[in-house]
Each structure stands twice: as structure tokens, then as C-alpha cells.
Amino acid sequence: AQTVTQSQPEMSVQEAETVTLSCTYDTSESDYYLFWYKQPPSRQMILVIRQEAYKQQNATENRFSVNFQKAAKSFSLKISDSQLGDAAMYFCAYRSHEGTGANSKLTFGKGITLSVRP
Amino acid sequence: DAGVTQSPTHLIKTRGQQVTLRCSPKSGHDTVSWYQQALGQEPQFIFQYYEEEERQRGNFPDRFSGHQFPNYSSELNVNALLLGDSALYLCASSLLAGNTIYFGEGSWLTVV
């Protein structure tokens, strides 16, 4: 079974600064997806960024980028130019891409609460 | 393009009662999954529906059941409610082998 670990329960960043959220995972599969989701107080789960394991290039979405280290099974999220609206719970998630898709459930880490100081 | 929609948004039930939650997937998506998120915890996978069949199930008792309709919408039913069933229930939609999963805003269930 796959596991996702987010060891930092909370982090804080100054507005306009950069912050990195850590995530490690464990799997025996070679083909999978990794995600970062943002969950603000409204509890809406919002997709931030996605990484396909077969791609060596790190995914980037505007101010959000990842550092994907497949051998180390590490998937960190970097938020640049932090904004007050970035304050939320962030979840790292794993999804298998092997077989017919029947194992396509998301496995989440425990999440990290990010606060942004004005 | 409508995203994933869920209803009701909030509801309160009494122990022992039954509840039905509803979900309409994002346009073009054929797969619906349900997750339970207790307060302060990560979402936990309940089950997934594709082609009107349950394809995968998490570690939840048989009190939790579901259905998918020909239009891909889905229902989650929970029987004999327990206090511990109080949680946010999230519906997620995707293509079966797609690489992106979108979530609805969730249904808050409080069991008293």
C-alpha cells in the first residue's frame, strides 16, 4: 500500500517571501501521479499542481512549483511571492496510474497548515 | 462549465437515522469517488463508482453504500448513523484513467 507523509504540521511565511512544503511518499509502483491540494477554511479542496511520475521536468503553475525527486520519493511544493490568500491547509496526495485505473483513489498525507504573516 | 456539485451543503441527523448525499460530476467526467474528512484530518477514501458499479472501496463498513446513475451522478448513503460519522463528505470526479481529480465543496454532516 502507498503511504504519504507530511511531517511538518504547521508552517508560517512572511507575505511576499518564499516557502517550501515537504512531502515524502512510499510506493513500489513506477507509474503514478502526485498532487498538491489546497484546502482553505471553506473546506473546498482545490487542486494546486500535478506531477506525472514519468516526467522528469518539475511542474510549475504560476507562483507554485514542485521539486520532484523520484529516487528519493520526495515531492515538495514551493510557493513564491506568498500572498495572504495562500493561507490554508495543504495536502500532498498520491494516485496510482498502473493497470486499468481501478486503483485510482487518492491517498493523502495528513496535511500542513500554512499561515501567511502580513 | 459546471464543476463538481454536491447537495445538501449542511445537514444534521440523529443517531440511527439514514442519510443520502448527492453529487454531480464535472462535465465530461465518468468516475465519481467519495471521501470522508473528519475535522482536522485528511480525507479518507470511501469508494469509487464507474459505469454504475462500485470499482474500489476503502476501509468503511457496509453501512456506507452508493450508487451511480446513467448520467454519471452519484449518491452516498449511510445507514444507522453514528456520532463518529460526523464529517465533511467530499465528492470527487475524474475520468477513470485521467490524471486530474476535481472536488466538490462537500456536504457537512453532523450526527447528534
Side-chain angles (χ1 to χ4, degrees):
Chain A
Q2 296 80 29
T3 59
V4 178
T5 301
Q6 295 178 254
S7 56
Q8 307 155 302
E10 298 179 353
M11 286 197 74
S12 180
V13 63
Q14 190 76 35
E15 193 176 7
E17 296 294 309
T18 296
V19 64
T20 298
L21 310 182
S22 300
C23 173
T24 59
Y25 59 94
D26 189 27
T27 183
S28 59
E29 298 175 336
S30 60
D31 195 9
Y32 49 87
Y33 299 109
L34 295 166
F35 304 86
W36 280 97
Y37 281 91
K38 170 186 177 181
Q39 190 175 45
S42 67
R43 302 296 292 273
Q44 168 91 53
M45 194 72 78
I46 302 166
L47 176 65
V48 175
I49 200 164
R50 176 190 66 238
Q51 175 78 43
E52 289 89 344
Y54 66 87
K55 290 186 177 179
Q56 293 186 346
Q57 185 174 5
N58 289 323
T60 299
E61 289 286 343
N62 301 314
R63 297 183 296 107
F64 299 87
S65 62
V66 299
N67 183 5
F68 173 49
Q69 302 290 329
K70 191 172 184 179
K73 297 180 181 175
S74 171
F75 183 60
S76 61
L77 174 69
K78 185 171 79 171
I79 306 174
S80 304
D81 185 25
S82 297
Q83 301 175 0
L84 295 178
D86 295 333
M89 176 79 84
Y90 286 82
F91 289 97
C92 177
Y94 174 102
R95 183 189 188 204
S96 172
H97 190 225
E98 297 192 348
T100 61
N103 289 324
S104 57
K105 69 173 184 177
L106 285 171
T107 299
F108 288 88
K110 291 195 175 297
I112 178 171
T113 301
L114 177 67
S115 58
V116 181
R117 304 186 302 275
Chain B
D1 176 24
V4 182
T5 58
Q6 292 186 241
S7 63
T9 305
H10 294 83
L11 69 167
I12 300 174
K13 291 286 188 178
T14 304
R15 277 180 298 175
Q17 285 189 318
Q18 179 263 345
V19 67
T20 297
L21 307 178
R22 296 176 177 81
C23 173
S24 293
K26 183 178 172 63
S27 179
H29 284 182
D30 56 12
T31 303
V32 173
S33 300
W34 287 91
Y35 292 80
Q36 180 195 65
Q37 187 179 20
L39 196 61
Q41 302 295 315
E42 72 275 25
Q44 298 287 341
F45 174 75
I46 303 174
F47 43 52
Q48 177 191 79
Y49 276 84
Y50 172 71
E51 290 188 333
E52 303 178 49
E53 291 186 7
E54 183 183 293
R55 298 289 178 155
Q56 192 180 11
R57 189 179 183 92
N59 188 25
F60 279 81
D62 292 344
R63 298 187 298 109
F64 289 78
S65 63
H67 189 78
Q68 186 179 34
F69 299 95
N71 67 352
Y72 306 118
S73 67
S74 176
E75 289 182 349
L76 164 65
N77 300 291
V78 186
N79 295 321
L81 284 167
L82 304 173
L83 295 179
D85 295 331
S86 295
L88 177 69
Y89 288 85
L90 294 164
C91 173
S93 80
S94 65
L95 293 172
L96 182 64
N99 59 11
T100 303
I101 299 175
Y102 293 95
F103 285 84
E105 295 186 358
S107 293
W108 279 99
L109 171 65
T110 301
V111 182
V112 297

